[in-house]
């Protein structure tokens, strides 16, 4: 049975045509009258609007206000099409037309007026003489009643401000009609908006002159900055300006600057004050020297003095756009000419790279949380990415190429392409992305005439944007797809604009790509932070030249990695290390494929190579370890039991060759040192976890070497090994606080087996101890582990190995206070576990005396500490910067903890720990140390420990002092997470932390 035919209602037909609410559209059309309902041309223009419902709503309100509009529309179809196009995009401009229907004739203009005509129009609107820009009469404009004006300094806007707003929005409406109908390009719209802002500033300055006495005593120039200066302004944007003033002849400069400041303030107020007609926009003068903290108006000489001495790179980047826009244009031109001489030398400044990196971070920090993926200005792949890159390339290459000195982004990008600094296809793609994003930005702002750069999530809003861009089949889907495609293209910005052309300069690549000269490539590398650009070019050439598959993959990888190297503390070292590792692994199939396919691996490798000589050295001897950089899970510290089993297996495989066996164990240690260092520099583990991991790794290594040595000595003796042996960890190893540079402080103890002669057992034990030390210190590609037994009884003069009975006899009779203090860190680490526990039990009464230590002992410990401070600090070392023996450093904090333990651990079991921070925490928990003091001491200890480890990681060799050379300090600070400009902050932070810790030491340790 066939279904009854479906009868479509008028509301249904309207919905099918594009109205979101067909029933409401039907009602509004009926209210317009039968002539409107039957006017198919009117309906076509409504349906063609970006938002037909919004266009019809605004039209309905306008007809209600002025019924003659429909007749005007029939008589002028072009006017109807233009106006309804604006109504469908901009509720705010529709509201303006409803309030001021008398502005309709302005929409019939097809030609945009010249700048001089615009200026005359705006000045007449506020009652100023177009020839002199001086006020001559009370202002009057359509829709604004002229009358006695109240100076805006009273806080109440006068009719001149209202007239300015009406005249400005009339022209804004005129421009919008030309924009939405496609009668002008994006560049023409942006330039017209900038011109309109310029004449509005001129009119606002005329309003200010009417309020400021002695306004004629000063020459005041308004310099447009940002998009206003570049003639690429948005519909709604803060208008960035800088003010420069000079006194007229015979006028005191101070008085003239005061007058100019009042004029500038009055001009800003005339634009931003709220009136019944709203406000224009904010006039932002924060790009001036010293920003908000600096004077609003300066003389030319004052501006130049600041820029020559104090300005940062970003301030010169801002001056790229500087253009006189209002006031004394001759003075403005002189100002721009003067600062341009400084702008084009900015890339040669000492801190150019640091300033650029700081600026990039500042841009990223300005993206509000939750908006990054919808921000078309500051988000990934947004407008700021393109603008930033174009401006940076201008600063780098514009020093020697005047053709690049353009203000507007699109014209600068075209000049970069013509000059060969950017590939033609790249420039075209970026120009298309920039144009699209700016068009979206304009439509977002037109809707409510509000400053916004966030793509809405609402489907209706997305539909309006898509239709406004001519997407009618699937407006939401087409818009979203196009937007994301452009954002992804822009996201490849740094590869496209900065690094890819560097490869062209040294490798045989297609001629369609941009090809820099060697000099230009050198300049670009230098500007990006490479200290040896010629050397960098040689490395790039070695990696990318040729037709091999390896060279082809490197040409894909390097543009991205060069950027990551540039972001690292030492780009040159990073690139050199990458070449060295690649030379070792370049023919290995998985290596380049891993870097190409796993972005995280390549980025982490670039960061590590550009930060740490220690990591680079380890990688060069085990390049296959690159594979562990794939994920945080791969860099997780491995359990000690797992490492011990692997080490034991390695020893077992080479049981008959001690040196080969320990070499295998040392290779395992090298791999785990690399794993720990990578996790450390990647921020995956903290300094306490680093100390624990390194100490456990040393335990495993010592155990394996000890087992190997016992096996070797046993084979050589051709008799069973006659004694049990244990290794007691001391110092930082005992405290589980080892650093990358730490030796292994240990003591050897043995206990002869039943029936064994003590002399024979001691000889065998001594041979094993010596062999263990020798095996771990053999020259090899792997880092040695030096065994230091200097803390044993009688020091280096005493026997290397003692029986446990000998230790007991010595400690009972001869032990000194410093030995008891050293034993606070004693713990078993390798060998016979039962013997190790027996030794620890033996020394418990010595290091944790039941009644604490005597007052005499306390005095002796304090004297010893004072003597160490006076005698052991290296000659020439700065006590404030020596992390181990300096004031408030590691030694200070550790001696406080150890003195508390010696005095109280006998009665407070919580203090019985070999770890410094655990002892301090326990002391605070038991009321023996103020919690605030514990926090101060712990922070200083952690900071000093991080610095010592970072010194080893960065330099590849041990050191205890913060270095004096600026470059080394910068590298160290960067490795510790400080920004490029934060080196002095790092040093001051350390001084502050240790200064506070030293105050606690004086009070708690010395009781001063």
């Amino acid at each position: 049975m066939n279904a009854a035919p479906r009868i479509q209602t008028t509301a249904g037909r309207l919905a099918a045509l594009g109205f979101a609410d067909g029933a409401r559209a039907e009602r509004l059309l009926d209210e317009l009258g039968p002539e409107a309902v039957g006017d198919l041309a009117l309906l076509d223009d409504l349906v063609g609007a970006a938002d037909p419902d919004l266009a019809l709503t605004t039209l309905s309100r306008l007809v209600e206000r002025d019924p003659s509009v429909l007749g005007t529309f029939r008589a002028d179809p072009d006017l109807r099409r233009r106006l309804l196009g604006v109504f469908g995009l901009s509720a705010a401009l529709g509201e303006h037309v409803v309030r001021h229907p008398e502005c309709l004739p302005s929409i019939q203009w097809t030609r945009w007026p010249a700048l001089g005509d615009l200026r005359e129009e705006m000045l007449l609107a506020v009652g100023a003489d177009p020839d002199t820009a001086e006020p001559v009469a009370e202002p009057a404009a359509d829709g604004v009643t002229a009358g006695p004006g109240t100076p805006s300094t009273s806080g109440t806007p006068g009719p001149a401000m209202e007239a300015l707003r009406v005249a400005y929005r009339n022209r804004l409406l005129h421009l919008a009609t030309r924009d939405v109908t496609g009668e002008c390009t994006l560049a023409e719209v942006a330039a017209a908006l900038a011109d309109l802002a310029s004449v509005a500033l001129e009119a606002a300055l005329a309003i200010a002159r009417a309020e400021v006495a002695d306004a004629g005593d000063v020459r005041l120039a308004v310099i447009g900055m940002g998009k206003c200066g570049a003639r690429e302004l948005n519909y709604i944007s803060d208008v960035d300006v800088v003010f420069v003033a000079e006194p007229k002849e015979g006028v005191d400069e101070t008085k003239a600057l005061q007058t100019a400041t009042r004029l500038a303030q009055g001009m800003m107020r005339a634009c931003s004050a709220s009136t019944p007609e709203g406000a224009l926009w904010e006039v932002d003068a924060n790009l001036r020297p010293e920003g908000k903290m600096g004077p609003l108006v300066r003389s030319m000489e004052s501006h130049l003095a600041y820029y020559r001495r104090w300005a940062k790179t970003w301030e010169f980047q801002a001056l790229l756009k500087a253009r006189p826009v209002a006031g004394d244009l001759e003075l403005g031109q002189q100002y721009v000419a003067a600062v341009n001489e400084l702008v084009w030398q900015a890339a040669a400044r000492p801190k150019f790279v640091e300033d650029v990196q700081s600026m990039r971070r500042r841009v990223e920090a300005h993206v509000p949380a939750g908006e990054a993926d919808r921000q078309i200005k500051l988000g990934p792949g947004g407008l700021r990415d393109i603008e930033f890159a174009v401006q940076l390339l201008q600063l780098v290459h514009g020093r020697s190429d005047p053709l690049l000195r353009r203000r507007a982004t699109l014209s600068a990008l075209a000049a970069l392409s013509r000059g060969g600094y950017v590939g033609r296809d790249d420039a075209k793609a970026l120009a298309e992305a920039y144009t699209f994003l700016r068009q979206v930005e304009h439509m977002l702002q037109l809707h409510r005439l509000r400053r916004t750069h966030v793509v809405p999530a609402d489907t209706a809003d997305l539909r309006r944007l898509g239709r406004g861009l001519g997407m009618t089949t699937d407006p939401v889907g087409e818009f979203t797809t196009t937007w994301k495609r452009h954002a992804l293209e822009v996201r490849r910005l740094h590869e496209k604009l900065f690094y890819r052309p560097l490869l062209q300069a040294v490798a045989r690549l297609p001629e369609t790509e941009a090809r820099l000269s060697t000099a230009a490539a050198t300049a670009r590398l230098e500007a990006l932070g490479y200290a040896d650009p010629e050397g960098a070019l040689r490395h790039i050439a070695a990696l990318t030249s040729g037709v091999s598959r390896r060279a082809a993959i490197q040409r894909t990888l390097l543009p991205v990695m060069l950027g990551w190297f540039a972001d690292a503390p030492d780009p040159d070292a990073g690139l050199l290390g990458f070449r060295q590792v690649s030379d070792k692994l370049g023919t290995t199939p998985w290596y380049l494929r891993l870097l190409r396919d796993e972005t995280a691996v390549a980025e982490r490798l670039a960061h590590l190579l550009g930060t740490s000589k220690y990591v680079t050295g380890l990688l060069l001897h085990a390049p296959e370890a690159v594979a562990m950089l794939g994920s945080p899970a791969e860099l997780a510290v491995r359990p000690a039991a797992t490492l011990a089993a692997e080490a034991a297996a390695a020893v077992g495989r080479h049981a008959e060759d001690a040196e080969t066996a320990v070499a295998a164990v040392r290779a395992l240690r090298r791999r785990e040192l690399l794993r720990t260092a990578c996790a450390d520099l990647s921020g995956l583990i903290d300094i306490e976890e680093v100390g624990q991991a390194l100490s456990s790794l040393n335990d495993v290594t010592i155990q394996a070497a000890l087992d190997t040595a016992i096996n070797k000595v046993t084979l050589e003796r051709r008799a069973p090994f006659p004694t049990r042996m244990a290794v007691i960890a001391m110092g930082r190893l005992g405290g589980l606080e080892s650093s990358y540079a730490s030796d292994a402080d240990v003591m050897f103890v043995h206990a002869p087996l039943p029936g064994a002669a003590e002399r024979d057992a001691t000889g065998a034990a001594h041979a094993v101890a010596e062999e263990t030390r020798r095996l771990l210190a053999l020259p090899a590609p792997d880092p040695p582990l030096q065994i230091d037994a200097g803390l044993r009884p009688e020091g280096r003069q005493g026997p290397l190995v003692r029986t446990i009975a000998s230790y007991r006899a010595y400690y009972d009779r001869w032990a000194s206070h410093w030995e008891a203090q050293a034993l606070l860190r004693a713990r078993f680490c390798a060998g016979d576990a039962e013997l190790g526990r027996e030794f620890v039990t033996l020394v418990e009464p010595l290091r944790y005396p039941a009644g604490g230590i005597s007052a005499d002992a306390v005095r002796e410990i304090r004297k010893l500490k004072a003597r160490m401070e006076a005698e052991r600090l290296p000659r020439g070392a700065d006590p404030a910067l020596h992390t181990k023996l300096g004031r408030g450093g590691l030694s200070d904090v550790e001696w406080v903890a150890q003195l508390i333990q010696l005095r109280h651990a006998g009665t407070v079991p919580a203090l019985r720990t070999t770890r410094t921070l655990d002892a301090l925490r326990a002391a605070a928990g038991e009321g023996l140390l103020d919690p605030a003091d514990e926090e101060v001491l712990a922070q200083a200890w952690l900071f000093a420990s991080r610095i010592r480890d970072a010194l080893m990681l960065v330099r590849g060799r041990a050191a205890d002092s913060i270095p004096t050379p600026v470059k080394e300090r910068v590298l160290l600070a960067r490795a510790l997470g400080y920004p490029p400009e934060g080196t002095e902050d790092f040093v001051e932070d350390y001084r502050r932390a240790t200064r506070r810790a030293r105050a606690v030491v004086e009070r708690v340790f010395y009781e001063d």
Side-chain angles (χ1 to χ4, degrees):
M1 184 175 179
N2 294 329
R6 183 178 180 184
I7 300 175
Q8 191 174 31
T9 64
T10 300
R13 288 196 297 273
L14 291 172
L17 288 172
F19 288 92
D21 188 341
R24 183 173 181 275
E26 180 183 9
R27 177 174 58 79
L28 290 177
L29 285 169
D30 286 342
E31 291 175 358
L32 290 176
E35 293 182 355
V37 172
D39 190 343
L40 295 181
L42 173 65
L43 186 60
D44 284 344
D45 287 338
L46 283 170
V47 170
D51 186 341
D53 298 85
L54 177 60
L56 179 56
T57 299
T58 306
L59 175 62
S60 176
R61 294 181 60 212
L62 178 59
V63 171
E64 183 180 353
R65 177 74 182 270
D66 182 0
S68 68
V69 167
L70 288 177
T72 304
F73 277 7
R74 282 192 298 274
D76 190 344
D78 188 55
L79 169 66
R80 179 188 64 223
R81 178 178 60 87
R82 293 152 68 90
L83 192 62
L84 292 180
V86 172
F87 285 177
L89 270 178
S90 178
L93 286 177
E95 177 67 26
H96 176 74
V97 176
V98 170
R99 293 185 65 203
H100 299 284
E102 67 279 356
C103 75
L104 284 179
S106 69
I107 306 169
Q108 295 174 301
W109 301 329
T110 56
R111 183 184 63 83
W112 184 252
L115 181 61
D117 295 334
L118 268 180
R119 179 179 178 275
E120 180 177 348
E121 177 185 318
M122 212 63 65
L123 287 171
L124 287 173
V126 299
D129 184 345
D131 294 327
T132 64
E134 297 289 339
V136 295
E138 290 295 342
D142 291 338
V144 179
T145 303
T150 304
S152 61
T153 50
S154 69
T156 303
M161 290 190 190
E162 294 183 45
L164 173 60
R165 283 147 179 73
V166 172
Y168 178 87
R169 290 208 173 85
N170 285 346
R171 277 300 176 187
L172 198 67
L173 176 67
H174 173 207
L175 180 60
T177 62
R178 302 184 75 240
D179 185 7
V180 300
T181 54
E183 296 172 32
C184 48
T185 65
L186 170 71
E188 290 169 337
V189 171
L193 286 167
D195 290 345
L196 189 54
S198 298
V199 298
L201 289 171
E202 189 71 71
L205 188 56
I207 294 173
R209 287 194 183 98
E211 304 167 358
V212 176
D214 304 323
D217 290 349
V218 64
R219 301 172 65 195
L220 176 65
V222 183
I223 309 299
M225 306 286 281
K227 285 184 165 59
C228 180
R231 295 186 78 231
E232 51 184 9
L233 199 62
N234 297 327
Y235 274 98
I236 290 295
S237 177
D238 289 353
V239 174
D240 296 307
V241 300
V242 167
F243 297 102
V244 59
E246 292 293 331
K248 292 284 185 69
E249 187 174 351
V251 178
D252 176 71
E253 181 175 313
T254 300
K255 179 177 179 296
L257 288 176
Q258 291 171 347
T259 301
T261 299
R262 291 196 298 274
L263 279 173
Q265 291 169 337
M267 188 205 81
M268 295 169 73
R269 192 164 48 247
C271 294
S272 60
S274 179
T275 75
E277 293 294 335
L280 293 184
W281 13 254
E282 291 292 325
V283 179
D284 188 344
N286 290 337
L287 290 178
R288 66 185 184 268
E290 299 181 81
K292 293 181 180 179
M293 306 307 294
L296 182 62
V297 182
R298 290 177 183 255
S299 67
M300 175 89 76
E301 182 181 352
S302 177
H303 272 281
L304 296 178
Y306 171 84
Y307 287 127
R308 289 185 180 118
R309 186 171 184 183
W310 303 111
K312 294 184 178 179
T313 301
W314 71 263
E315 294 179 276
F316 292 109
Q317 186 169 349
L319 286 169
L320 277 171
K321 310 284 190 181
R323 175 177 67 93
V325 294
D328 191 318
L329 297 182
E330 182 182 353
L331 176 61
Q333 292 288 5
Q334 293 170 2
Y335 172 87
V336 171
V339 297
N340 272 346
E341 294 182 10
L342 303 174
V343 166
W344 299 110
Q345 299 304 317
R349 292 160 57 87
K351 290 192 175 182
F352 178 78
V353 177
E354 290 86 343
D355 286 342
V356 167
Q357 292 171 330
S358 174
M359 182 165 45
R360 187 186 304 169
R361 283 191 300 275
R362 189 161 57 248
V363 168
E364 293 171 354
H366 275 74
V367 181
E371 287 187 5
D373 59 340
R374 294 188 294 120
Q375 258 272 358
I376 60 171
K377 180 180 179 180
L378 303 179
L383 289 163
R384 189 56 58 84
D385 276 356
I386 301 174
E387 293 164 351
F388 176 89
V390 169
Q391 291 162 21
L392 186 54
L393 284 174
Q394 285 181 278
L395 287 172
V396 171
H397 299 295
R399 285 187 295 167
S400 56
D401 190 344
L403 295 178
L404 302 182
R405 300 176 185 180
R406 312 296 179 94
R407 294 190 180 98
T409 302
L410 288 177
S411 62
L413 183 57
L416 286 165
S417 179
R418 286 192 298 271
Y421 304 100
V422 178
R424 289 189 294 273
D425 292 341
D426 298 342
K428 179 182 177 183
L430 285 166
E432 289 176 354
Y434 184 79
T435 301
F436 174 83
L437 292 172
R438 285 296 304 275
Q439 288 174 331
V440 173
E441 183 181 43
H442 280 184
M443 284 190 287
L444 287 172
Q445 295 177 349
L446 267 175
H447 185 50
R448 297 289 182 189
L449 285 185
R450 292 176 182 165
R451 185 173 180 266
T452 180
H453 308 94
V454 179
V455 175
D458 182 73
T459 302
D461 291 328
L462 292 173
R463 182 172 179 267
R464 184 181 67 253
L465 291 173
R467 285 174 60 88
L469 290 166
M471 303 169 181
T472 55
T473 304
D474 177 17
V476 176
E478 287 182 61
F479 167 74
T480 304
T481 301
T482 305
W483 168 38
K484 296 298 184 184
R485 173 172 57 80
H486 282 305
L488 285 172
E489 186 71 14
V490 173
R491 199 55 184 161
R492 298 164 59 194
L493 186 67
H494 291 287
E495 174 188 353
K496 289 286 186 180
L497 292 188
F498 290 105
Y499 305 109
R500 179 80 178 167
L502 294 170
L503 274 62
Q504 318 293 344
V506 297
R508 293 182 178 180
L509 296 179
E511 290 294 337
T512 55
E513 300 289 344
R515 185 176 297 280
L516 296 180
S517 67
T518 302
T522 300
R524 185 173 295 191
L525 283 166
E526 186 176 10
L528 292 166
Y530 288 83
D532 180 15
E534 290 85 0
L537 286 175
R538 288 194 297 273
H539 299 322
I540 294 170
L543 288 164
T544 60
S545 295
V547 295
S548 67
R549 182 174 180 275
R550 170 188 171 186
I553 296 178
Q554 288 285 20
R555 288 195 289 268
T556 301
L557 283 171
L558 263 183
V560 180
M561 297 198 70
L562 285 169
W564 289 329
F565 292 137
D567 289 336
D570 191 342
D572 299 85
L575 180 55
L576 171 61
F578 180 66
R579 178 184 175 183
Q580 292 171 328
V581 172
S582 295
D583 285 345
K584 285 183 175 284
L585 285 178
T587 57
T588 306
W590 59 264
Y591 168 62
L592 290 176
R593 185 171 63 247
L594 174 70
L595 297 185
R596 182 192 62 197
D597 298 340
E598 299 291 338
T599 304
V601 178
E603 184 172 9
R604 184 171 283 131
L605 177 64
H607 170 70
L608 293 169
L609 294 174
T611 302
S612 174
K613 290 183 179 179
Y614 182 77
V615 166
T616 302
L618 293 175
L619 267 177
L620 289 177
H621 290 108
E624 68 280 356
V626 168
M628 76 170 62
L629 303 180
S631 70
E634 287 289 327
L635 295 179
V637 175
R638 300 178 68 199
T642 302
L643 295 177
E646 186 176 347
V651 169
R653 285 194 300 271
H654 306 285
E656 296 183 0
D657 186 341
E659 292 187 3
T660 302
V662 172
V665 174
R666 287 176 61 179
L668 178 154
R669 178 172 179 265
R670 175 194 59 216
R671 185 194 69 204
E672 296 308 314
L673 284 172
L674 177 61
R675 191 190 310 276
T676 302
C678 292
D680 185 1
L681 288 168
S682 301
L684 301 176
I685 54 177
D686 62 28
I687 191 63
E688 288 191 82
E689 292 170 314
V690 170
Q692 174 77 55
L694 295 176
S695 300
S696 297
L697 179 58
N698 289 343
D699 287 355
V700 168
T701 305
I702 293 169
Q703 179 68 65
L706 182 69
D707 290 343
T708 302
I710 289 174
N711 183 61
K712 179 181 180 182
V713 169
T714 300
L715 290 174
E716 290 174 347
R717 286 167 51 86
R718 299 185 180 183
F721 194 63
T723 187
R724 294 182 299 146
M725 284 192 70
V727 181
I728 307 300
M730 303 287 285
R732 297 185 73 84
L733 177 61
L736 297 171
E737 299 160 352
S738 293
S739 69
Y740 297 103
S742 292
D743 292 341
D745 290 312
V746 303
M747 294 194 300
F748 293 98
V749 58
H750 79 105
L753 293 172
E758 182 172 328
R759 183 168 183 171
D760 181 51
T762 297
H766 186 274
V768 165
E770 288 287 12
E771 181 65 8
T772 300
R773 296 171 71 182
R774 185 188 74 84
L775 290 171
L776 291 176
L778 282 173
D782 307 304
L785 179 59
Q786 300 291 345
I787 299 295
D788 187 344
L791 292 176
R792 65 187 184 268
E794 302 179 77
R796 301 188 186 281
Q797 304 303 314
L800 181 61
V801 185
R802 288 177 182 260
T803 64
I804 195 160
S806 175
Y807 276 108
R808 180 179 293 110
Y810 175 86
Y811 287 137
D812 285 345
R813 185 173 183 184
W814 303 108
S816 63
H817 301 307
W818 76 263
E819 288 178 302
Q821 185 177 348
L823 286 169
L824 286 168
R825 290 183 162 192
R827 68 172 179 84
F828 165 74
C829 76
D832 189 288
E834 183 179 351
L835 179 60
R837 286 191 294 272
E838 188 176 346
F839 179 89
V840 170
T841 301
L842 165 67
V843 300
E844 292 281 292
L846 184 61
R847 60 180 178 175
Y848 307 139
I853 57 175
S854 66
D856 287 342
V858 172
R859 281 193 295 273
E860 287 299 320
I861 290 171
R862 289 173 177 159
K863 286 180 181 179
L864 178 60
K865 177 70 170 68
R867 189 164 67 249
M868 285 178 56
E869 291 178 14
E871 297 175 0
R872 290 188 57 188
L873 193 70
R875 179 175 296 179
D878 184 347
L881 299 179
H882 198 279
T883 60
K884 182 177 181 181
L885 301 175
R887 294 188 292 268
L890 295 170
S891 178
D892 267 4
V893 177
E894 289 164 0
W895 281 59
V896 170
Q898 291 160 14
L899 182 59
I900 293 173
Q901 288 178 291
L902 289 170
R903 299 175 83 173
H904 302 287
T907 55
V908 181
L911 289 172
R912 297 171 188 175
T913 175
T914 63
R915 309 192 69 171
T916 302
L917 295 187
D918 286 351
L920 292 174
R921 292 166 186 147
E926 296 293 334
L928 300 171
L929 182 65
D930 188 296
D933 290 343
E934 181 270 326
E935 183 178 358
V936 167
L937 293 172
Q939 287 179 349
W941 190 91
L942 289 168
F943 203 167
S945 295
R946 289 180 61 219
I947 290 172
R948 286 188 83 204
D949 274 1
L951 282 165
M952 183 66 176
L953 289 172
V954 169
R955 301 171 60 168
R957 61 182 188 276
D960 291 317
S961 282
I962 295 175
T964 301
V966 174
K967 181 180 179 181
E968 291 190 23
R969 280 194 180 182
V970 170
L971 296 178
L972 178 61
R974 293 288 304 280
L976 290 167
Y978 284 81
E981 69 277 11
T983 303
E984 292 309 313
D985 291 339
F986 151 62
V987 176
E988 184 52 39
D989 286 349
Y990 180 72
R991 288 181 185 274
R992 185 184 306 110
T994 53
R995 190 165 54 242
R996 294 174 62 199
R998 182 63 183 191
V1000 175
V1001 172
E1002 297 284 355
R1003 179 162 34 83
V1004 175
F1005 183 82
Y1006 289 109
E1007 295 183 356
D1008 187 358

